Amino acid sequence: MEAAQKTDAPLLKTALWPVHTSMGGKMVPFAGYDMPVQYDGMGVLKEHVHTRTEAGLFDVSHMGQAILTGNDADPAIALETIVPGDIVGLEPGKMRYTVLLNDDGGIIDDLMVTRWDARTLLVVVNAACKEKDFAFIQSKIGSRTKLQYLGDRALLALQGPKAEQVASIFFPDVLKMKFMESVKTSYKGHEIFLSRSGYTGEDGFEISVPGAFAVEFTKELLQEPEVKLIGLGARDSLRLEAGLCLYGHDIDDHSTPIDANLKWVIPKRRREQGGFPGYDKIKKQLDGSTFILRVGIKPEGRAPIREKTELFIGDKKVGVITSGGFGPTVDGPVAMGYVNADVAKTGTKLNAMLRGVARPCEIVALPFVKTNYKKD
Amino acid sequence: MSKILFSEDHEYIRIENGVGTVGVTDFAQKALGDVVYVELPKIGASLTKGGQAGVVESVKSASELYSPVSGEVVEINASLAGDPALVNTDPLGKAWFFKVKIANENDLSGLKDEAAYNDYIKGL
């Protein structure tokens, strides 16, 4: 969901920074924060595989958590004027993936919205976008809602097939939770926002804890033998295999949800009624006038095909890669990108021009790895 | 008798009878992370000192491999293409990339010996 950001400002540190450095995290600048890309003794490949087979623990505290309350109404009514999702219909304890839109229907950011009650929503946005997002929300719906940034909370993601077993040691309630459900709970007297969600394609949980409790809680989680810290490198390869978008790469303020093949974020009621930015354009696209489309791309052979590599059919440029790399679970290169809508069909063969050599690729259905969400 | 020299781009060249065996250093493989793909030059290709001789890709990124000397490629390590992870496990041994017939011994004068290279990477 996130994009790096170049800045000369001193790097920020999450509450878990001391844990990363003491556990051999290789720290890199990311979205203004000093974050671990991988850990000594593991590395991206092992961390990726560990998450797909055991339980990976990610520090995602750099993301922006905020509470949106309505002044005298459901804040979802106001929020729906800037996102195309069904937020009004979101039941307490449920969460939804949606996008903030500009007037051209371009994606300002992708985000998670959780309903706590009839007057309260929790939003989680990308680290690199949080200032922009919060200013946008404030300017558009600030007169009807109150946005409270939870800068003093940490956010952990525990992901993988063993995540449920580990989480249940701390929160027995997780056994009753399904994908995209959320509860407010507590542990050792600290308020915890717990949801069954994540961005790896695996079952798992996102756990918001008070920043002052984050190190202690993380150390307790790491005492479970199934749990290992996982860096941003594997977070990227995991989300790519799962076919999930990285903001600033696969989606940005020039791509609409339709271009991005995220049509599913706009439910029937919103498609018919509109009432969100860029509706005219998006409505036309829904009626069939699309020009480009985000697709999965599987390169033949072993060479990774990376972002910005151009795609051709014959001599004609038909698209560009927006995310690409090596998929450790696929055990080969995986990519996604945008192609002209008229060729955006599964099975289409194209060439990626890599260092002057045409490399055959094929458009494939996403995800590359079957998702493992707890849906029932 | 062979001797080994290092470039500031983190290639090594092991020299024996006018032929250099080229690969990347342990420092380089650590910086790269898990190597998943390598691209080797063709046998017979004419390399230029400092020019691109191959590509080494980790999960995270693609990096160019530069030739520390000018000369003709006389042998490539085909087994490396099938098992690129050797770059991480045995960079100075099994993970050599290619052998080059050194065209001009003067090319070696700008390279570092092991002690000088170790000092160099300490300062990075």
Side-chain angles (χ1 to χ4, degrees), chain A residues 26 44-45 303-304 306 355 359, chain B residues 31 34 37 39 57-59:
Chain A
K26 183 176 173 187
V44 179
L45 281 183
R306 299 186 191 271
R355 300 183 280 267
R359 301 277 183 164
Chain B
D34 299 308
Y37 179 76
E39 218 163 83
E57 300 214 21
S58 69
V59 185

Side-chain angles (χ1 to χ4, degrees), chain A residues 311-318 351:
Chain A
L311 299 167
F312 290 82
I313 294 179
D315 291 339
K316 192 183 173 213
K317 189 190 160 193
V318 295
N351 284 317

Side-chain angles (χ1 to χ4, degrees), chain A residues 241-275:
Chain A
E241 282 186 343
L244 299 169
C245 291
L246 179 68
Y247 190 82
H249 300 256
D250 308 305
I251 47 177
D252 62 23
D253 50 10
H254 298 295
S255 48
T256 71
I258 312 304
D259 300 332
N261 223 337
L262 297 172
K263 206 190 291 193
W264 58 270
V265 306
I266 316 176
K268 189 160 173 280
R269 170 174 66 86
R270 309 282 343 253
R271 289 181 197 193
E272 288 169 359
Q273 296 175 0

Side-chain angles (χ1 to χ4, degrees), chain A residues 24-39:
Chain A
K26 183 176 173 187
M27 308 304 283
V28 298
F30 183 86
Y33 285 81
D34 195 30
M35 297 296 288
V37 65
Q38 63 176 46
Y39 295 87

Side-chain angles (χ1 to χ4, degrees), chain A residues 58-87:
Chain A
F58 304 74
D59 178 15
V60 286
S61 306
H62 54 316
M63 297 182 79
Q65 308 176 65
I67 293 171
L68 187 70
T69 45
N71 291 348
D72 41 32
D74 178 359
I77 298 168
L79 189 59
E80 280 198 1
T81 65
I82 49 175
V83 307
D86 177 14
I87 310 299

Side-chain angles (χ1 to χ4, degrees), chain A residues 3 28 89 127 216 287 294 346:
Chain A
V28 298
E216 182 186 337
D287 292 341
R294 182 180 63 96
T346 301

